Amino acid sequence: GAEVGHLFTKKMEFPYDWGYGHIIYTVFLCAVFMGTIVLEGVDTSIMAQVTPAQLNTCVINSGLLATLIGTLGRVLSDLMITLSALLDIHVFVDFVNATFLPLLLLAMGCLLLVSSFYNHLV
């Protein structure tokens, strides 16, 4: 196969000029999406094993909560992508950077919440 090094620009970055950039972007976007889908099944399986039995006796059980939280996550992520596309001037150049910053802040906020309520969770 061909070496990956010839795909880099002179600044050692992948180009977003719709030459090789769109192929690399599409391939790795599909890989991240497939990894997310696979890990969702694993997370649901682990959650079903560690959920207390009291949560599975009523109508609002762990399966429904997982579905609702997953749907809420998809809605918020679609909203974040839409806002990033609307607020960014050069959407085809800096779209990855425009979506990464809110995601980074959201991940830091979630880590802060988990660390502050960790004793109540376990």
Side-chain angles (χ1 to χ4, degrees), residues 5 9 64 86 93-94 120:
T9 62
L64 178 64
L86 290 175
V93 177
D94 295 329
H120 299 290

Side-chain angles (χ1 to χ4, degrees), residues 11-33:
K11 296 179 182 178
M12 297 303 292
E13 298 174 345
F14 283 120
Y16 290 109
D17 61 352
W18 302 108
Y20 287 114
H22 75 285
I23 296 170
I24 293 169
Y25 181 78
T26 305
V27 167
F28 284 105
L29 181 68
C30 291
V32 167
F33 180 74

Side-chain angles (χ1 to χ4, degrees), residues 65-77:
L65 288 175
T67 303
L68 291 176
I69 290 172
T71 303
L72 179 66
R74 286 181 183 89
V75 167
L76 291 177
S77 65

Side-chain angles (χ1 to χ4, degrees), residues 96-120:
V96 175
N97 295 334
T99 55
F100 182 73
L101 183 62
L103 184 62
L104 181 65
L105 295 174
L106 185 63
M108 292 302 215
C110 288
L111 285 174
L112 183 66
L113 281 173
V114 169
S115 67
S116 63
F117 293 107
Y118 182 77
N119 291 332
H120 299 290

